[in-house]
Amino acid sequence: MGEVWDNITSTQPGASGTVVIVTGIVALLLIAWRPVWRQTRQVVTIAHEGAHGLIALLVGRQLAGIRLHSDTSGVTVSRGKPDGVGMIAVLLVGYPGPALFGIAAAFVLKQGYAVALLWGLLAALLLLLLQIRNLFGLWSVLAFGAIVFGVSWWGSEQVQSGFAHLLTWFLLLAAPRAVLELQRSRRHGGGRSSDADQLRRLTGVPAILWVGFFGILTLACLALGVAWSGILPS
């Protein structure tokens, strides 16, 4: 345990350019290949609903539970005023949530704390687990947490760093696709209870503008993540 704590609190050598590029390509394949995306998208849902829950607590709402479903949808229930700035903030953060978590992870990696990032993620998943209110959601968080724990506990320093970069790339790259899927669903008549449509009802701003905001923010996080990765020529 002392050795683990030392690894968590100390910096690790930065990943090579090859590792950064390869993990980015693998993350892109996990997102672009539809049969795999149906499974890996659950990680995006976990981040999405986790962001809702985090902001709900920060704005003073009472978090009543989170559900994750097998179709990769999810719902976060919080009690409080049904409108106002707090509720808008909760709805606003869902789709950008994975990208915001991704850019936070990229910042931590930039400082050299790949191992700390993985153990911090485990702590966050444990807190999220306490709010899960259905069996599939419980299984999803436990399965993802088991993978992260396995890499954190048994993986070599190189494996831990590579996995941390892979997960960071995945969050940054998957967030814009989730926004595209939202608009595709809305265009085909679905998603009328989406975050964007609920924001329209609360603010009067057209849902398409909220979707556009989600897209711009997720792409901005991706661009910043690419700049921080060091793969661009200086």
Side-chain angles (χ1 to χ4, degrees):
M1 289 302 297
E3 182 179 349
V4 171
W5 179 250
D6 288 341
N7 288 337
I8 293 173
T9 56
S10 61
T11 60
Q12 293 80 41
S16 67
T18 300
V19 169
V20 174
I21 293 172
V22 169
T23 53
I25 293 173
V26 172
L28 189 59
L29 291 174
L30 293 175
I31 296 162
W33 191 11
R34 187 176 294 273
V36 177
W37 173 243
R38 293 193 189 102
Q39 308 302 320
T40 59
R41 197 189 187 287
Q42 196 65 47
V43 175
V44 178
T45 305
I46 290 172
H48 179 119
E49 301 304 332
H52 279 319
L54 175 62
I55 297 303
L57 291 174
L58 290 178
V59 299
R61 298 180 64 83
Q62 182 181 359
L63 191 57
I66 296 173
R67 292 177 177 269
L68 307 173
H69 304 135
S70 58
D71 62 356
T72 73
S73 66
V75 61
T76 298
V77 179
S78 61
R79 299 189 181 96
K81 189 177 179 182
D83 53 16
V85 175
M87 192 63 210
I88 290 173
V90 171
L91 293 169
L92 194 61
V93 78
Y95 278 93
L100 295 173
F101 287 136
I103 200 60
F107 178 79
V108 173
L109 287 177
K110 192 171 183 289
Q111 310 309 310
Y113 290 99
V115 177
L117 172 62
L118 295 180
W119 284 98
L121 174 58
L122 276 174
L125 289 173
L126 179 60
L127 292 175
L128 178 65
L129 194 64
L130 300 176
Q131 295 296 330
I132 297 297
R133 296 294 182 267
N134 67 325
L135 286 177
F136 183 82
L138 183 68
W139 179 88
S140 296
V141 176
L142 284 175
F144 183 42
I147 294 172
V148 177
F149 176 78
V151 173
S152 304
W153 189 261
W154 288 293
S156 66
E157 193 174 89
Q158 292 76 19
V159 170
Q160 292 169 339
S161 178
F163 183 77
H165 280 82
L166 174 62
L167 183 58
T168 300
W169 277 126
F170 180 83
L171 291 171
L172 289 172
L173 290 165
R177 172 160 186 175
V179 175
L180 288 175
E181 290 179 342
L182 166 64
Q183 183 53 27
R184 187 181 302 120
S185 173
R186 295 187 66 260
R187 190 168 60 246
H188 292 134
R192 296 307 177 186
S193 61
S194 71
D195 295 350
D197 289 278
Q198 292 183 68
L199 284 167
R200 174 188 59 80
R201 290 191 286 272
L202 286 175
T203 66
V205 177
I208 187 61
L209 294 183
W210 289 115
V211 175
F213 173 77
F214 297 159
I216 290 171
L217 185 53
T218 56
L219 289 174
C221 288
L222 175 57
L224 185 56
V226 171
W228 282 351
S229 71
I231 61 176
L232 292 179
S234 56

